[in-house]
Amino acid sequence: MRKNIVAGNWKMNKNLQEGIALAKELNEALAADKPNCDVVICTPFIHLASVTPIVDSAVIGVGAENCADKVSGAYTGEVSAEMVASTGAQYVILGHSERRSYYGETVEILEEKVKLALANNLTPIFCIGEVLEERQAEKQNEVVAAQLASVFTLSAEDFGKIILAYEPVWAIGTGLTATPEQAQDIHAYIRSLIAEKYGNEVADNCSILYGGSCKPSNVKELFAKPDVDGGLIGGAALKVADFKGIIDAFK
Ligand code: PEP
């Protein structure tokens, strides 16, 4: 069954002590008022081993924001999927637009990362989305279709384990949000591509999150759309009141 999910992406914010405090505060808030959706926080690598034991894993999943495209060895500064999993983390964001644009992550590199994440029992939250010029040229469908090549080599069984996040790059951290209709149109298109490749059941069961300047005041309408199954949240995941306000949209 398709799940509703709200996932936070902390990016390169919060030192270790601040991150622990944020995770504790969120854990307390959600213990007092149980969410009606799955909740995930994706943190910098160094936070993972400290954050996983302090949150209730039945309520909050923990993930990394990236992992290496290699198994192990002489790759200075990299962190493998196995290392991420060894912290107790269960998720990993892959293909975020910031990784694609600042660190040159290609379709092929991301295909490797997705496979290694799955091999280590991590659930990839795989991000796709177009930049502003592509949207203005009405090329968004072509762009997301090409980006899906990284995950369309998976078996149907493995594809069934991933979460997708549609994140228009022009909406990330800009305060601009796709309209609920724009989000619904492209989510439905993405689901149709999954159905073509893997069949209706796999497509129906795939959670497709929307990401890009989500806040408590705009998510209700977005999440109400039939093909929008939750959100990937950047800035608003850094304050418990805002993140919980988004989670509460499912109440
Ligand atoms: C993100 O980076 O995944 C994101 C959606 O950021 P923001 O919510 O800040 O736009």
Side-chain angles (χ1 to χ4, degrees), residues 189-243:
Y189 173 69
I190 293 163
R191 205 177 299 284
S192 76
L193 294 176
I194 303 167
E196 236 170 68
K197 174 82 190 164
Y198 294 108
N200 285 334
E201 196 181 332
V202 173
D204 275 351
N205 286 337
C206 182
S207 295
I208 308 177
L209 314 185
Y210 167 80
S213 296
C214 285
K215 38 187 191 238
S217 58
N218 63 17
V219 286
K220 250 205 153 79
E221 280 184 295
L222 283 158
F223 294 175
K225 292 292 178 192
D227 287 295
V228 179
D229 306 310
L232 181 55
I233 318 299
L238 297 171
K239 287 204 181 113
V240 169
D242 291 343
F243 194 51

Side-chain angles (χ1 to χ4, degrees), residues 9 11 93 96-98 127 167 171-176 210-215 232-237:
N9 173 13
K11 310 196 188 193
I93 296 174
H96 193 279
S97 63
E98 288 150 19
C127 304
E167 299 206 302
I172 297 178
T174 58
L176 293 174
Y210 167 80
S213 296
C214 285
K215 38 187 191 238
L232 181 55
I233 318 299

Side-chain angles (χ1 to χ4, degrees), residues 126-147:
F126 187 74
C127 304
I128 55 178
E130 79 288 352
V131 298
L132 185 60
E133 300 73 50
E134 291 162 339
R135 169 64 65 166
Q136 284 166 338
E138 295 184 7
K139 289 197 167 142
Q140 63 272 15
N141 287 8
E142 267 173 63
V143 171
V144 296
Q147 291 170 333

